[in-house]
Amino acid sequence: MGIEQRSNTGDGLVPAASPAGAATMRAAVQHRYGPPSVLKPSEVGLPLPGRGDVLVQVGATSVHPGDYFVMTGEPYVVRLVFGLGRPRHGIPGRDLAGVVAAVGKDVTALRPGDKVFGWSTTGTLAEYACVPADHLVSMPANLSDVDAAAVPTSGMTALQALRDIANVRPGQTVLITGASGGVGSFAVQIAKAFGAEVTGVCSTRNVGLVRSLGADHVVDYTETDFTRTEKRYDVILDNVEAQPLAAVRRTLTPTGTLIPNSGRGGRWLGPLGRIVKARVLSGFTRQRLKPFTSVGKRQDLLTLADLLTTGQVTPAIDRTYPLDEAADALRHVAAGHTRGKVVVTV
Ligand SMILES: NC(=O)c1ccc[n+]([C@@H]2O[C@H](COP(=O)([O-])OP(=O)(O)OC[C@H]3O[C@@H](n4cnc5c(N)ncnc54)[C@H](OP(=O)(O)O)[C@@H]3O)[C@@H](O)[C@H]2O)c1
């Protein structure tokens, strides 16, 4: 497929009708911030890849809480990045798996027909997405589009939290809350791959899932509050932050690392208040309190591809939705009870 240059509108979308005869695609489009009902199946022009970009024919794309924040524009702080008055990119979604349809002039590592997975910053809930070449890696042969699309953001978050922030070593005790969710289901498997003794916290219906991911111990939060047991952990990855920071810290060893990782919070600043509190407190204790923001890194996606190829990590898929029901996929994520990842097939 040739790459043609066409002008786009203020929200990053190419109008389907202009110029006459231009190629179009199906996409889930929003013209304003709001609840999932703002997302409409629409026909728009293909995105415009630059010299270093790849046009990917999307096979599947996963959705997660961050996509919901960007779609609603809440907490409002996200609008500083994604557009003050309305979303800068009219198509939500970040993670994708699919096949290379075309490459820009400067791209040499990928060719049309290659199977890839990775992340885009300009929208993936569409038949095609435009992605910088260094946001993509080859898809392991043992993975389906659905499995591969589930990996990038949640997998990289779990990997960076456990490896880069907590420096998890063999034999350490690691507790993961939200172990049945998108980040947690990867974190349990990655912590096991690092040789840790892993405890997953989840509800009764997910005990079997979290065990099957490899957790050595499972705490059912409907029966036991992990902050009220005698057990102490070297590392806590708290994806939920349902308990007060002080209580979670009591569950940490004196020099342990706590990663508060819930993106939820107030309407204006989201989790920023808690992040500042943790940073200030960490100056007064030997415990390491380390909120962090994950970053897309091609090298980390390659590390995940290795873990997926060797079977040390297998994506847990909750449900799949067709593209025209993308709004329902985001509603499901927003409810906060996913079991692994929610994927939209295209
Ligand atoms: N730091 C970063 O850069 C970064 C990157 C990505 C995501 N995040 C944040 O990480 C958090 C987790 O993301 P995610 O994609 O894993 O979310 P998710 O998939 O929506 O997680 C939902 C899971 O949490 C479980 N859960 C709810 N309440 C719980 C509790 N009290 N104890 C234990 N488990 C509980 C749910 O199980 P039940 O149905 O059984 O309740 C469900 O399985 C989000 O807040 C997200 O914003 C941060």
Side-chain angles (χ1 to χ4, degrees), residues 29 44 57 77 81 90 94 100 112 122 130 133 135 137 176 184 192 194 210 218 229 268 278 285 324 330 342 345:
V29 172
V44 297
Q57 184 176 6
V77 68
V81 178
R94 181 174 162 86
V100 173
T122 53
C130 185
H135 291 193
V137 303
I176 295 160
K192 280 305 294 174
F194 289 166
V210 173
V218 180
T229 67
W268 284 88
T285 168
D324 282 355
L330 280 149
V342 177
T345 54

Side-chain angles (χ1 to χ4, degrees), residues 125-137:
L125 283 164
E127 287 178 309
Y128 290 87
C130 185
V131 188
D134 63 358
H135 291 193
L136 295 169
V137 303

Side-chain angles (χ1 to χ4, degrees), residues 142-157:
N142 59 333
L143 287 198
S144 64
D145 284 353
V146 167
D147 283 343
V151 177
T153 299
S154 298
M156 284 193 280
T157 302

Side-chain angles (χ1 to χ4, degrees), residues 263-279:
R264 298 173 201 273
R267 202 166 185 195
W268 284 88
L269 296 175
L272 286 186
R274 288 198 311 274
I275 289 173
V276 170
K277 187 176 172 189
R279 287 215 186 280

Side-chain angles (χ1 to χ4, degrees), residues 145-340:
D145 284 353
V146 167
D147 283 343
V151 177
T153 299
S154 298
M156 284 193 280
T157 302
L159 178 67
Q160 291 167 12
L162 296 168
R163 183 197 60 192
D164 305 340
I165 309 294
N167 188 23
V168 170
R169 295 182 302 281
Q172 285 193 313
T173 50
V174 175
L175 178 127
I176 295 160
T177 70
S180 50
V183 174
S185 58
F186 284 107
V188 168
Q189 299 179 77
I190 292 169
K192 280 305 294 174
F194 289 166
E197 182 184 327
V198 178
T199 300
V201 183
C202 63
S203 65
T204 314
R205 73 186 182 115
N206 291 324
V207 167
L209 168 68
V210 173
R211 281 229 167 83
S212 74
L213 296 170
D216 300 288
H217 316 281
V218 180
V219 176
D220 179 344
Y221 74 77
T222 67
E223 291 176 357
T224 307
D225 177 346
F226 75 89
T227 66
R228 292 178 182 274
T229 67
E230 295 301 310
K231 183 94 178 141
R232 298 290 172 266
Y233 299 91
D234 298 309
V235 174
I236 297 178
L237 174 57
D238 191 354
N239 293 305
V240 182
E241 296 187 62
Q243 278 86 356
L245 185 61
V248 179
R249 281 184 54 208
R250 282 198 298 274
T251 316
L252 205 57
T253 56
T255 55
T257 302
L258 165 62
I259 304 174
N261 191 45
S262 165
R264 298 173 201 273
R267 202 166 185 195
W268 284 88
L269 296 175
L272 286 186
R274 288 198 311 274
I275 289 173
V276 170
K277 187 176 172 189
R279 287 215 186 280
V280 170
L281 258 177
S282 62
F284 300 92
T285 168
R286 287 163 64 219
Q287 292 175 329
R288 299 172 72 238
L289 312 180
K290 291 282 197 180
F292 89 115
T293 303
S294 65
V295 186
K297 287 186 190 160
R298 185 169 185 277
Q299 189 54 46
D300 288 352
L301 209 49
L302 286 168
T303 301
L304 288 164
D306 283 345
L307 292 167
L308 293 157
T309 303
T310 56
Q312 287 168 285
V313 170
T314 303
I317 307 299
D318 176 348
R319 290 181 64 174
T320 63
Y321 293 81
L323 180 59
D324 282 355
E325 293 171 21
D328 289 334
L330 280 149
R331 279 186 194 99
H332 183 44
V333 166
H337 295 294
T338 59
R339 307 178 78 228

Side-chain angles (χ1 to χ4, degrees), residues 3 49-54 102-110 132-134:
I3 294 180
R51 299 170 69 109
D53 293 337
V54 174
V103 298
K105 274 196 183 114
D106 294 347
V107 178
T108 52
L110 292 168
D134 63 358

